[in-house]
Amino acid sequence: MEVIDQFSEADFTHIVDDRADVHVSSRDGRFYLGYFPNGRPGGADEDWVTGEGWVIAVTGTANVPGYRMAFGTDTPAEIVAGVVAGILSTSRPL
């Protein structure tokens, strides 16, 4: 919850799917965080990507490139929480 609690209901949409994966996206759709405790589904062969436990993606703009980062299923939540805090501290509405 140290990661997920950083996202307010007013600014972000929270979804827990049928696999208990958690998805958080900004209301404008530019930020996405996925938490996959058993590994991320999908991939090149539509199989489980077992090493990815966290995925953060930020969509770019005409002037600023977007990016994507992934953390393994064994990555401590404190590390992901720190990265998320850094991203949120520099974000601003369009």
Side-chain angles (χ1 to χ4, degrees):
M1 295 313 296
E2 186 173 349
V3 176
I4 305 303
D5 286 347
Q6 295 184 66
F7 301 101
S8 69
E9 293 286 334
D11 297 319
F12 295 89
T13 301
H14 300 75
I15 296 171
V16 178
D17 67 19
D18 61 334
R19 291 182 305 270
D21 296 337
V22 178
H23 309 272
V24 176
S25 64
S26 60
R27 297 280 179 193
D28 67 3
R30 292 194 57 229
F31 176 89
Y32 169 79
L33 173 122
Y35 172 54
F36 309 96
N38 296 314
R40 184 176 63 81
D45 299 321
E46 293 302 314
D47 200 357
W48 290 86
V49 182
T50 56
E52 288 187 353
W54 300 89
V55 174
I56 297 172
V58 177
T59 302
T61 66
N63 299 320
V64 179
Y67 56 91
R68 178 189 184 281
M69 62 184 87
F71 300 89
T73 54
D74 294 333
T75 303
E78 296 83 9
I79 292 172
V80 179
V83 170
V84 166
I87 293 168
L88 294 177
S89 72
T90 61
S91 68
R92 63 184 191 285
L94 290 176

